Amino acid sequence: MAAPEQRLTLQSTVEIPHSRGTILRPRIGFGVYQSPPDICKKSCLEALRCGYRAIDTAQFYENEKEVGEAVRESGILRSEVFITTKLLLPEGSVEKTLERCWRSVREIGLGYVDLFLIHTPSSGPEGRREMWLALENLLEEGGTRAIGVSNYGVKHLEEMKSYATFPPVANQIECHVLCQQRPIVEYCRKNAIQVEAYCPLVRGTLMKNPTILGIAARHSTATPSQILIRWCLQHGFIPLPKSDNPQRIRENAGAYSFELDASDMKLLDSMDLGVDGALVPQNTDCP
């Protein structure tokens, strides 16, 4: 089954490698972690109405079906929406894990997904290898257009070189002003791996931060959330803001109306706390 080429009409896209060339993907995605199925569908429909053209789900989130339903009900062409999902665990063999991947594709119900990631490196070297080989098979069979990883550290990405026919096109990691993940970001840049930033809004904990408020005040129409998203964009990351509040969904889509200057970026860069700024346990160093 050949997937059609995308015709994205967006304010900003980025090219990522594909087994048959390159494909476009939006520079901002909509996250649905911890969004219950019924609410997830409504939130996705609102996000699509606001101009989002990328949605990030996962097997672990248990809302893949609702993401697919929202895309179908939106009336937007399938080729104009970029869908990412994630494989949680190996199933004991490449064949069984491949079938688990296809189950997600069927659950979403859009024919194929655009990007399929390994969710975590925590299953160990053999589990990681099994999952990657399954994703490579899924890629060749047309179930996905690109494959990548999530929460991988440098050693996990280096390990892949011993068995990967297709290198990962993306690494989705927690990345925001308090947890800037500089070593893995630098590695990904040197190896043409796109960094996707989850928790870019630091789960709302910085909405009253004096530094963020001060920068927002200098950009009269910008909100703290937009400042944090814009910081990600100007570093070349793909931010994945998440909200189930329609007003905030619309607000988060507005990060293209201004640009941070060098002094703004320097201030935000100085907020980095390293791993101490992380909101979730980091798997980048797991065996």
Side-chain angles (χ1 to χ4, degrees), residues 3-8 13-25 82 114 145-146 169 192:
E5 289 305 309
Q6 288 182 310
R7 301 187 305 280
L8 296 173
T13 59
V14 63
E15 287 188 349
I16 59 174
H18 181 254
S19 59
R20 291 174 290 280
T22 58
I23 57 177
L24 294 177
R25 66 152 305 159
F82 192 97
D114 296 276
R145 304 183 71 205
V169 303

Side-chain angles (χ1 to χ4, degrees), residues 18 30 32 41 52 56 62-63 75 104 118 134 151 156 175 207 210 212 225 235 268-269 283:
H18 181 254
F30 183 70
V32 296
K41 182 177 175 179
Y52 285 90
D56 179 87
E62 298 184 340
N63 53 23
S104 281
I118 294 175
N151 298 302
H156 306 125
C175 191
M207 295 304 105
I212 304 299
S225 293
H235 271 300
L268 293 167
D269 289 348
N283 290 319

Side-chain angles (χ1 to χ4, degrees), residues 58-189:
Q59 294 172 355
F60 179 66
Y61 302 169
E62 298 184 340
N63 53 23
E64 291 175 310
K65 177 182 177 182
E66 288 70 26
V67 167
E69 289 176 350
V71 173
R72 290 193 297 276
E73 291 184 20
S74 73
I76 298 169
L77 292 174
R78 168 66 185 95
S79 59
E80 294 181 359
V81 184
F82 192 97
I83 301 296
T84 298
T85 194
K86 307 178 199 74
L87 172 63
L88 183 58
L89 294 168
E91 298 289 331
S93 71
V94 172
E95 294 74 21
K96 289 180 180 178
T97 302
L98 173 61
E99 173 51 34
R100 182 64 186 89
C101 294
W102 272 112
R103 200 186 318 164
S104 281
V105 176
R106 292 191 294 269
E107 185 81 358
I108 293 169
L110 298 173
Y112 62 96
V113 299
D114 296 276
L115 177 62
F116 217 125
L117 307 177
I118 294 175
H119 204 149
T120 170
S122 59
S123 59
E126 286 306 310
R128 291 191 290 268
R129 180 179 182 275
E130 177 186 311
M131 289 190 289
W132 189 254
L133 295 181
L135 286 184
E136 290 192 335
N137 284 335
L138 185 72
L139 179 69
E140 293 183 318
E141 292 177 10
T144 185
R145 304 183 71 205
I147 54 178
V149 296
S150 181
N151 298 302
Y152 268 44
V154 171
K155 67 180 180 182
H156 306 125
L157 293 166
E158 281 291 302
E159 169 192 280
M160 294 180 72
K161 293 178 179 179
S162 67
Y163 55 76
T165 300
F166 299 104
V169 303
N171 186 15
Q172 186 179 125
I173 56 176
E174 179 179 347
C175 191
H176 47 73
V177 294
L178 298 186
C179 181
Q180 297 180 23
Q181 301 263 36
R182 294 180 183 181
I184 185 62
V185 165
E186 183 62 24
Y187 177 92
C188 288
R189 283 178 174 152

